Structure formats: C-alpha cells, structure tokens
Amino acid sequence: MELPKFLLGDNTDYPSAIFIVHTEYPRFVINLENDEVEWLEEFSKEDEKELEAEAENLIQAATAFYDREISRYED
C-alpha cells in the first residue's frame, strides 16, 4: 500500500488538536494547535544534527499540507 506523505488526524479525546502525520522518514506527528512534535524514529547523535536542519522545513511542509486540505474542504 502506498501512503501519502502527510495524513490529517483527529481524535475526540483531543477536540481542539489538529494532528498531521508525516509518513516518510523521519516519521513524526505534529499537533498544529501547539506545534508539539512527536518523533516516531530513534536518532543517533549525527542524525540529530541533520534533523535539526531539516525539521523546520518538514514542519512548514506539514502546515502547508493542512492549509491546502482546509482550502479544498472550504471550496
């Protein structure tokens, strides 16, 4: 099965949360309500340095995905 790069998640236990799941490496879930990120990978010290540089781009891409999805819903 091929998964999209991003998935929009919802959970009634967190009614105000907006979850975006990044399904490719490095996998993570971000809650756009508070920008909290949960990484679903284990990283070495070397990976952490590279991840710091890429994390901002990934979070911006997740936010852009959400904005795109909402604009499509509103149309």
Side-chain angles (χ1 to χ4, degrees), residues 3-9 19-23 65:
L3 294 174
K5 185 174 183 172
F6 293 105
L7 298 170
L8 184 58
F19 296 108
I20 304 295
V21 181
H22 182 252
T23 63
F65 163 77

Side-chain angles (χ1 to χ4, degrees), residues 38-64:
E38 180 70 31
W39 297 99
L40 305 175
E41 310 283 357
E42 296 290 327
F43 301 107
S44 68
K45 290 294 183 189
E46 295 80 26
D47 289 343
E48 286 180 13
K49 291 178 184 178
E50 184 177 323
L51 179 64
E52 287 177 17
E54 185 62 20
E56 185 175 339
N57 293 332
L58 290 171
I59 291 168
Q60 288 176 353
T63 302

Side-chain angles (χ1 to χ4, degrees), residues 23-37:
T23 63
E24 297 176 357
Y25 184 85
R27 297 173 303 140
F28 65 89
V29 178
I30 182 170
N31 181 350
L32 295 181
E33 175 189 36
N34 58 15
D35 292 334
E36 185 176 338
V37 176

